[in-house]
Amino acid sequence: MTWEIWVWFALVSGATAVLVSMFSRRAGHVASMASSILFIVASIMLFSENTHYDELLHDSFSWWGMLLVSLVYLSSAFSSPSFIETMIDAGEIDDRGARVYYILLNATFTLLILLVVSNNIFIQWVLLELSTILTIHLVMTNKRSRAAAEASWKYYLMCATGMAFSLYGLILLYSAGAEAGLRDPWLWSSLASAGSVLAGASKTLMLASAFIIAGFSVKAGLFPAYMWLPDAHSEAPSPVSALLSGCLIYTPLYVLARLIPVLSVAGSEPCIILAVIGVLSILCGAGGMLVTSDVKRLMAYSSVEHMGILAFMLSLTYGLGRPEIAFLAFNVHAMGHAIAKSCAFISSGFISDACGTRRIRGIDVSVDRIVGWGLIVCILVLMGAIPLPILFSEVIAAESIRGTWLLLVYLASVMAGFASLGWRASQLLVSKKPVRDPTPISRPILVRMLVVVLLALLIPVSIAVFSPCLAYKLSATPIKELLSTGW
Amino acid sequence: MGVVNAVIAVLSMGMVLTASMISDERRVDRAAKLYSVQSILLSLVFVALGVTGPRYFLIWAASAIVTKAVLVPLFLLRLTKHTRAREDKPVLGGSLTWIADGLSVTVGFIIALKTAPPHLLAPMTTAISLFLIGLVQIMLRRNLGKQVLGLCHFENSSHLTLALMAPNIPETVEIGMGTDAVLLVFFGCLVASRIHGLFKTLDSTSLVELREEVDAE
């Protein structure tokens, strides 16, 4: 049971960071950084552990999810002190607010780790809902900002409604499992191993699929209810934007990735719905990127686009494509997006603070070579213009698609996203209309180097695609791993 | 068993009635008190289920009293203490609210008729109707307190559905959902009071106007 020890190790370190943050903000700085490193240590130690399913689970998908959450935690924790101190200096937050910030930040990441290792679908729902509630407060960290308060309210109302839908869906799914005579229908492993036994309750399953997909798509910022995302992600402090875009909107898709094989037992409709939602989200994200003039909103719309791509990849795993390849693409894309987007939000936060504006035409990337060029590289990675995880995953997904028309629709929508982000990125490099003389970024070199470290992490993720061992691990669908354990 | 089902049916109908009254009520403090009544009715449904079936429903009843009939209304009353309790003119008000609620109950009844066994027809109609009434309230009400109450309808609806369709669920799930219900309202009221501090109103129209201003910049 070594794997459980490492999971508890991560959870206890997160909980300790929450407690320590109550005492002072300096303790919060240090505790969150230490805890994020311990999360990564735990994730690495879990790499070689065997698959297990109980109330908690461990398989290659949960391991990858845990690593993703840990890396985003690292980026948020190490960049937070710099942003929080700036906010304190500007009077946007007081010492108590800073302590609350660290408590909530550490608590959210701890809940997310528990979510990825939980086998109980209702506990996963509770954790998703709690993480939403905590991050609502994080979005309005700036106590003076009216725009942040408005964005928090939209985020609160839309996500809570979406989560209510998904809870209804989960209850229906449980009911279908109980109807089919399953032993523990609240456990994912029990539902997933039932296979065709669930087909008898196909009507209930279909209804459950509709509610679950509708609910989780709101939480993931997918079409049609994505409107909260650009507001909340752009108004939050940059480390919180990294948390929201990097892993919070990924987690509903993580849960959905586990549930899709169960929901698809009654037919391929859930996958078709996901494919449609995915393509429309990519197009909405691309459209939003074209019209926005704010660098953080640009990144937020890019998140809508990438969540659309992930939803589309998910639809390929159990219906419209070749499962193993599509699952590899999903995992690699999720990790690539999480790292690049965290880095993009942090670097755009540094740059916009230095230039005194978030308007793309007013931003001068040459104000700091490390951070400025880091931002440009991040955008190129997110576009899929550099041979790194996002480009690789998009090519792998295209390869897994069955059907020429579907392939053409996918390529056209991805190209639309590429062109929109590319157009805006080009504006970052030319036609400057500064609002004031840019002030040099005063952050310590180590904090600025975080951008480089995060970008460097994309290289080992790219290697995963070509390394037979890792690629095999990441292409194993959760259901295949579950069945191989003889559950 | 027949008597218990009849009692559950009557209590369920009481829940729908209170939901409609909450929708129609423009004073948030009174609506919060009505929500407390609705939660007590929900607890009585759990008591009825506990008397004839598994005993753990009695614990559910006790937990619903503490969390939903006491804590949630308290948070809402605290919110209205420092803010204007009366809602501005809603998008849809007066008799139109009752028509919208009537439609919600009709849709709820049709869905329940197709999916629920005959003895659960009334409580399932209630569960689905509460969900729809909550949705209508969130979309058509302008006061943030009333919108939080819309979310509270979702909570009661899910809780009732969970009891009817997912018996034998582990206790941890019930504890988790109870905690979630309280925190959802607590944080909602916190955001609403921050908004009141910044905008001097709880009317959501002013938030929409601000967003339009920010986007125009």
Side-chain angles (χ1 to χ4, degrees):
Chain A
M1 289 308 230
T2 352
W3 70 277
E4 277 191 330
I5 294 171
W6 287 112
V7 168
W8 283 109
F9 173 77
L11 294 175
V12 169
S13 68
T16 312
V18 172
L19 289 174
V20 170
S21 306
M22 289 175 186
F23 297 107
S24 77
R25 74 167 193 274
R26 305 253 177 239
H29 292 336
V30 179
S32 53
M33 287 192 270
S35 171
S36 70
I37 291 170
L38 294 176
F39 270 39
I40 290 176
V41 170
S43 307
I44 292 168
M45 296 309 287
L46 279 166
F47 175 72
S48 55
E49 291 292 333
N50 291 328
T51 306
H52 289 277
Y53 298 97
D54 205 338
E55 273 294 325
L56 295 181
L57 58 78
H58 171 68
D59 55 20
S60 48
F61 190 39
S62 71
W63 168 73
W64 192 246
M66 196 168 163
L67 191 62
L68 184 149
V69 173
S70 307
L71 288 172
V72 177
Y73 190 13
L74 182 90
S75 68
S76 281
F78 275 80
S79 60
S80 284
S82 178
F83 284 101
I84 290 296
E85 293 306 317
T86 308
M87 288 176 82
I88 289 175
D89 293 343
E92 293 169 348
I93 182 178
D94 52 17
D95 184 63
R96 186 174 163 272
R99 273 185 286 141
V100 171
Y101 170 88
Y102 281 110
I103 291 168
L104 296 178
L105 189 79
N106 293 320
T108 307
F109 278 109
T110 311
L111 292 179
L112 292 178
I113 285 288
L114 189 55
L115 186 148
V116 292
V117 298
S118 178
N119 193 12
N120 185 323
I121 54 172
F122 289 102
I123 295 294
Q124 281 187 323
W125 180 88
V126 169
L127 294 169
L128 261 181
E129 177 89 324
L130 286 178
S131 58
T132 308
I133 294 170
L134 299 187
T135 46
I136 287 160
H137 202 81
L138 283 172
V139 169
M140 52 174 204
T141 301
N142 181 349
K143 62 180 182 184
R144 284 184 187 169
S145 168
R146 285 154 57 110
E150 187 269 346
S152 302
W153 187 256
K154 201 185 272 179
Y155 175 34
Y156 169 76
L157 211 56
M158 290 186 77
C159 285
T161 308
M163 289 306 287
F165 270 88
S166 58
L167 176 61
Y168 239 87
L170 293 178
I171 294 170
L172 289 168
L173 183 59
Y174 173 97
S175 168
E179 214 178 289
L182 296 186
R183 201 163 53 98
D184 300 321
W186 58 85
L187 294 183
W188 169 80
S189 48
S190 187
L191 288 163
S193 60
S196 55
V197 175
L198 282 173
S202 58
K203 230 176 167 180
T204 320
L205 269 187
M206 278 298 166
L207 207 57
S209 307
F211 275 102
I212 290 173
I213 292 175
F216 284 147
S217 63
V218 177
K219 183 80 176 75
L222 291 169
F223 177 88
Y226 64 90
M227 290 80 77
W228 64 269
L229 192 151
D231 295 348
H233 290 209
S234 60
E235 296 304 335
S238 292
V240 178
S241 308
L243 152 67
L244 295 172
S245 267
C247 65
L248 203 72
I249 53 173
Y250 158 77
T251 44
L253 292 179
Y254 170 88
V255 178
L256 209 50
R258 286 193 179 277
L259 292 179
I260 278 292
V262 183
L263 302 173
S264 304
V265 166
S268 59
E269 286 83 352
C271 287
I272 296 170
I273 295 170
L274 261 183
V276 173
I277 290 176
V279 167
L280 291 172
S281 305
I282 299 171
L283 295 175
C284 286
M289 284 190 277
L290 270 186
V291 295
T292 190
S293 56
D294 179 317
V295 69
K296 282 188 81 179
R297 280 182 84 81
L298 178 71
M299 293 303 133
Y301 277 116
S302 156
S303 295
V304 176
E305 182 216 347
H306 283 282
M307 288 304 115
I309 294 174
L310 282 175
F312 185 85
M313 286 171 175
L314 212 51
S315 76
L316 301 175
T317 53
Y318 289 98
L320 308 176
R322 285 150 62 194
E324 276 84 6
I325 302 185
F327 212 73
L328 174 66
F330 177 83
N331 279 327
V332 172
H333 195 94
M335 184 64 89
H337 174 258
I339 298 173
K341 193 51 68 66
S342 315
C343 187
F345 267 115
I346 290 163
S347 47
S348 61
F350 282 147
I351 291 279
S352 52
D353 279 359
C355 296
T357 180
R358 284 184 358 207
R359 289 177 69 86
I360 292 170
R361 285 189 181 274
I363 283 178
D364 183 1
V365 286
S366 64
V367 68
D368 186 287
R369 274 191 195 165
I370 298 173
V371 180
W373 286 105
L375 175 62
I376 297 293
V377 174
C378 283
I379 292 177
L380 290 174
V381 171
L382 289 166
M383 282 166 64
I386 301 181
L388 280 171
I390 288 182
L391 176 63
F392 292 148
S393 63
E394 287 173 356
V395 172
I396 296 168
E399 205 182 311
S400 88
I401 295 174
R402 291 186 186 130
T404 318
W405 280 108
L406 193 62
L407 177 65
L408 287 174
V409 168
Y410 167 71
L411 289 178
S413 49
V414 168
M415 283 310 290
F418 178 91
S420 305
L421 192 54
W423 164 247
R424 284 297 178 196
S426 68
Q427 289 184 332
L428 269 175
L429 293 168
V430 291
S431 46
K432 296 287 145 250
K433 286 180 186 166
V435 287
R436 63 167 162 83
D437 285 338
T439 49
I441 297 177
S442 56
R443 269 88 179 192
I445 184 79
L446 275 176
V447 178
R448 285 146 67 201
M449 283 303 285
L450 179 66
V451 175
V452 181
V453 171
L454 286 171
L455 283 172
L457 280 171
L458 290 167
I459 296 166
V461 178
S462 309
I463 292 169
V465 182
F466 299 104
S467 138
C469 166
L470 259 175
Y472 175 76
K473 214 172 162 67
L474 297 179
S475 62
T477 59
I479 194 156
K480 196 176 164 189
E481 276 195 84
L482 170 74
L483 297 176
S484 71
T485 61
W487 171 269
Chain B
M1 204 62 185
V3 178
V4 174
N5 283 338
V7 170
I8 291 175
V10 171
L11 291 170
S12 306
M13 280 187 264
M15 285 178 74
V16 176
L17 190 69
T18 47
S20 295
M21 288 164 76
I22 292 168
S23 283
D24 189 48
E25 180 57 63
R26 281 173 69 180
R27 280 188 65 102
V28 182
D29 51 348
R30 279 190 208 150
K33 285 170 192 162
L34 281 168
Y35 179 74
S36 181
V37 175
Q38 189 190 86
S39 301
I40 291 168
L41 292 174
L42 176 72
S43 309
L44 291 174
V45 171
F46 292 155
V47 170
L49 290 170
V51 168
T52 52
R55 290 282 180 258
Y56 63 80
F57 277 123
L58 297 176
I59 301 170
W60 284 37
S63 126
I65 289 276
V66 175
T67 56
K68 295 180 172 184
V70 179
L71 286 177
V72 167
L74 268 181
F75 295 145
L76 283 160
L77 287 173
R78 201 177 150 77
L79 173 70
T80 54
K81 201 175 167 186
H82 305 292
T83 58
R84 188 162 168 258
R86 193 172 168 81
E87 179 187 26
D88 291 332
K89 196 171 182 285
V91 182
L92 199 71
S95 54
L96 286 174
T97 309
W98 289 93
I99 292 170
D101 292 348
L103 281 173
S104 302
V105 176
T106 312
V107 173
F109 179 71
I110 293 167
I111 296 173
L113 203 60
K114 289 192 174 176
T115 53
H119 69 283
L120 293 180
L121 188 62
M124 272 312 288
T125 304
T126 302
I128 301 164
S129 307
L130 280 184
F131 195 89
L132 295 172
I133 291 171
L135 202 60
V136 170
Q137 197 166 323
I138 286 171
M139 288 191 295
L140 300 179
R141 288 299 170 148
R142 288 162 47 174
N143 184 284
L144 305 188
K146 288 297 295 281
Q147 290 182 337
V148 172
L149 275 165
L151 293 177
C152 292
H153 280 105
F154 288 160
E155 293 287 344
N156 275 357
S157 161
S158 324
H159 215 163
L160 186 58
T161 314
L162 200 69
L164 300 171
M165 293 189 74
N168 304 320
I169 206 143
E171 276 304 305
T172 43
V173 174
E174 220 280 314
I175 295 166
M177 288 178 62
T179 317
D180 165 71
V182 173
L183 287 178
L184 186 73
V185 176
F186 175 74
F187 275 88
C189 291
L190 215 62
V191 182
S193 71
R194 171 80 68 89
I195 286 172
H196 185 264
L198 290 166
F199 292 83
K200 307 292 172 223
T201 176
L202 281 181
D203 191 301
S204 59
T205 323
S206 55
L207 300 184
V208 177
E209 282 163 7
L210 168 86
R211 177 48 55 194
E212 282 166 359
E213 277 170 33
V214 171
D215 288 345
E217 280 170 21

